[in-house]
Each structure stands twice: as structure tokens, then as C-alpha cells.
Amino acid sequence: MKAIEQNFRRVTPYVPGEQPKKKGIVKLNTNENPYPPAPGVLRALAELSRTPDALRRYPDPAAQELVQALAASCGVGEDQIFPGVGSDDVLAIAFQTFFQSGRPVLFPDITYSFYPVWAQLFGVPYRCPALDGDFRMRREDYYGENGGILFPNPNAPTAIAEPLSFVEDILRHNPDTVVIVDEAYVDFGAESAIRLLPEYENLLVVQTFSKSRSLAGMRIGYAVGSPLLIRYMNAVKYSYNSYTMSAAAIRCGVEAVKDEAYFRETTAKIVATRERTARALKELGFVVLPSSANFLFASHPQYPGRQLYQALREADIYVRYFDSPRIDNYLRISVGTDGEMEQLLGFLASYTRGEG
Ligand code: PMP
């Protein structure tokens, strides 16, 4: 190590899913939406290209137009929305804002693998209660003293959703710490905890435009919470970067929120494809966890997960594989178009017949 490096910060970063440059692959590895964003989003981008002032100037630091649209669609006040650069940005700010007690923050042992990375980066102690044998969270694990609680609902990468009564039970047992529900996948079949906000000032719900709104490339996420929590998050945000949302992200976000019909149509299509794919995978002998998300978590009793992942990859079908305890035999398969799922199933059918 060079002398200059001695004083550098050393961290173990999160590893995002691959974005292969290769054309013509079936890409089912990062839970992107297979359908384009709403038509109004594309019109807004074209309009921006004709209004150079919109890019020459700084964007609105409060992203008020987007905050208004989200407040209306979530049925909350404008002082209850915190917008950010994808939910990763929103979650990172929440970590820095709410997890300051020095007591361990709780999140499940099998969950979004960015959580422990943020905890380490921001010096937040944490503990990871184990999911049960069916990959479900055990509510009692979240009753004791803690510095905050964070979990996705539906969970990732299991795709399993807990009912709202479960979320409420955890909130009721933790009135003095912030409970963050990461609802990145909620629009594909789980119940949003936004409904609980009037009763729980300690609840923060985080959602994203990356999955159900087809805008992963635009980087838009937001938190919905009590005015108290949102005020504290804004103070942290304005302490390091006031212009987080680009002018393009603000405009595209507004148009995406407006088109409720398109949102419903595309999410329903993904859910229908998911259910068909799950049935077909089971017919091939896969164990498929019940999914409320836009992906499936599946394993095969005869073929190791890593082997399947590699074989698929060689056939230009990309899925996600996690080399982690308890889930290293599973594949996480994003739900694509019907055509993409046919290609996946066709490959797996011949592979499990021994033709692979
Ligand atoms: N939470 C969960 C559970 C996720 O799977 C993801 C996607 N990687 C995110 C948050 C972050 O999504 P984004 O930053 O694109 O909003």
C-alpha cells in the first residue's frame, strides 16, 4: 500500500447487478420493468430538449412539482414527501438521519444487501435477525430495544410480502424508534404501509420509480412519512447536496405519476406473466417462493443454483445469483415480457431434461 493510501477510507462496497453491453440478451437480473415508461414521460423528455433554459438553470432544489404530484397520489401533505435520486439515495439519507442512537438497527439476515453496506459506511451498528425456515420475518425478533428497524415489503430477494397487520405490530412495539418500510416492489402485490401514516409518526415508507414506473435509468425515489421525519431528512439532504433531482427527473417523475391507467395496465401485465412463469417453473420441478414482487425466487432440487445461473448466462439469459448462506441454491429471476419468459422456460425445460 502506498503511503498516501494509509489515510484513505476503506469500505466494502455494494455490488450492483450486471448491466451487460452485449445486444440481444434476455436481461432478467436487475428487476427492471420490461415495458417502456408512460408515453407522457417520453413527451416530457422531448419537450425538455426544446427548452434549453430548463437545462441551463439549476433545478428546483425542493422538486416541488414532483412533491405535489406524489402528495396528491399518496393522499398525504406536501410536507410528508421527501424526493431523492432513486430509493438508494433516500435510504442512505434515512440511515444518516434516523439511526444515531448507537444501538443496533435491525434488518433481516436475508434482505437487500445494500443495508449492511450503508450501516458500515455510516458507522451504524446493526443486528440481523434470521428469517424463519419459510423465509418469513419473525415479528418477535423486532420487539426488543433497537436503534431503528428497516425491512423491504415485499422482501428482497425472497419476493415474500408480509401483511399490513405485521407492519403495524412492529410499529406498535417500537414507538420510540424509526421503522422504515422499503416498498420498492409494493406495486406488484403487497399492501402499502402509507395507510398507517396517520397513526404512526415513527413510520417512513420508501418507494421508487425504478420498478413499477419503468424509470430505473432516471433515478427517482421518495420517502413518505410524518412532517417531523421529512423535516429532519431535508436538513441532512441540504447539508450535503441541495440539487439532488435533475430537471429531467422532476419532469419525468411528474408525468409518470399522472398516468395512473398506464401504471395499472403495465403492473397487471407483469403480475399475470409472473403467475404464469411461476406455474411453469413448478412444472419443471422448481421450488418457487410465493412472490408479491416483479421477480421470482426459485431453486431446483436437482440442479445447483450456481450451475443453473452459469448455464443460463452462457445462453445469454441473465438472472441474479447470490453466493450467500441459505440462498446460494436460488436464482432471482426478474419478470420480463411473456416472450422473454418463454425463452427462459424453453432453456430450463431442455436443461432439466438433460439436454443442457
Ligand atoms: N430497495 C430494494 C429492496 C431494492 O431491491 C432496490 C433495487 N436495487 C432498491 C431499494 C433501490 O432501487 P432504486 O435506487 O433504483 O430506487
Side-chain angles (χ1 to χ4, degrees):
M1 193 187 295
K2 292 181 184 160
I4 193 173
E5 289 179 67
Q6 305 279 325
N7 298 318
F8 290 178
R9 178 81 176 264
R10 275 183 290 277
V11 290
T12 310
Y14 169 74
V15 183
E18 225 180 320
Q19 295 293 353
K21 298 279 180 296
K22 204 167 167 185
K23 295 264 181 297
I25 62 163
V26 177
K27 191 172 177 305
L28 307 173
N29 68 332
T30 50
N31 298 343
E32 288 146 336
N33 194 310
Y35 302 108
V41 171
L42 304 177
R43 281 196 297 273
L45 276 178
E47 180 63 29
L48 267 177
S49 71
R50 290 190 295 270
T51 25
D53 264 359
L55 301 181
R56 186 178 60 77
R57 295 203 172 120
Y58 279 107
D60 171 10
Q64 201 189 357
E65 194 192 0
L66 179 60
V67 166
Q68 273 168 354
L70 284 169
S73 85
C74 297
V76 300
E78 286 172 35
D79 56 356
Q80 293 188 263
I81 303 281
F82 177 90
V85 187
S87 49
D88 280 344
D89 177 48
V90 175
L91 289 164
I93 290 175
F95 255 84
Q96 295 171 84
T97 310
F98 301 123
F99 298 157
Q100 295 289 312
S101 70
R103 288 190 292 277
V105 167
L106 307 180
F107 47 82
D109 64 337
I110 297 167
T111 194
Y112 185 29
S113 48
F114 220 139
Y115 299 164
V117 175
W118 283 314
Q120 283 158 35
L121 180 66
F122 301 130
V124 170
Y126 64 98
R127 209 158 51 69
C128 299
L131 297 181
D132 71 13
D134 296 324
F135 294 118
R136 305 289 299 259
M137 289 172 71
R138 281 186 285 234
R139 59 184 69 200
E140 312 79 55
D141 290 343
Y142 298 85
Y143 288 173
E145 202 189 46
N146 63 72
I149 293 171
L150 166 63
F151 58 93
N153 197 36
N155 196 3
T158 63
I160 294 175
E162 298 297 344
L164 216 50
S165 55
F166 173 94
V167 179
E168 185 160 21
D169 186 59
I170 289 185
L171 283 161
R172 213 179 286 127
H173 279 87
N174 294 279
D176 298 325
T177 54
V178 173
V179 176
I180 303 179
V181 187
D182 176 354
E183 294 189 340
Y185 301 103
V186 74
D187 297 322
F188 302 101
E191 226 181 327
S192 174
I194 287 178
R195 203 153 64 68
L196 300 176
L197 283 169
E199 280 163 81
Y200 298 94
E201 199 176 36
N202 60 327
L203 166 64
L204 192 79
V205 178
V206 177
Q207 297 191 347
T208 178
F209 283 53
S210 298
K211 322 291 178 183
S212 54
R213 306 273 179 185
S214 306
L215 280 171
M218 196 47 80
R219 311 304 300 126
I220 311 172
Y222 56 105
V224 196
S226 58
L228 178 80
L229 300 193
I230 300 303
R231 195 165 68 238
Y232 274 85
M233 288 182 80
N234 270 314
V236 170
K237 171 203 144 158
Y238 283 107
S239 302
Y240 89 96
N241 180 3
S242 35
Y243 302 107
T244 51
M245 310 288 298
S246 72
I250 295 170
R251 284 274 48 251
C252 291
V254 170
E255 294 304 321
V257 176
K258 271 202 223 156
D259 201 338
E260 184 69 20
Y262 184 82
F263 165 78
R264 284 191 193 287
E265 181 196 324
T266 45
T267 45
K269 272 207 290 205
I270 290 166
V271 169
T273 305
R274 177 188 76 204
E275 294 306 303
R276 270 197 297 278
T277 308
R279 277 195 300 275
L281 285 171
K282 285 179 192 163
E283 281 163 21
L284 295 176
F286 280 86
V287 174
V288 185
L289 302 191
S291 171
S292 301
N294 68 337
F295 58 89
L296 292 161
F297 205 49
S299 69
H300 197 289
Q302 272 118 47
Y303 302 91
R306 182 194 289 279
Q307 179 189 322
L308 283 170
Y309 161 74
Q310 267 155 1
L312 282 162
R313 202 185 145 93
E314 276 156 33
D316 283 342
I317 301 171
Y318 285 65
V319 300
R320 188 99 198 243
Y321 172 74
F322 298 95
D323 193 5
S324 316
R326 296 176 72 195
I327 56 169
D328 58 359
N329 212 28
Y330 281 80
L331 301 177
R332 192 196 69 186
I333 306 166
S334 307
V335 177
T337 60
D338 283 327
E340 288 172 323
M341 302 326 270
E342 283 311 316
Q343 289 189 60
L344 169 93
L345 291 165
F347 178 87
L348 290 174
S350 44
Y351 195 86
T352 51
R353 276 199 306 263
E355 297 162 18

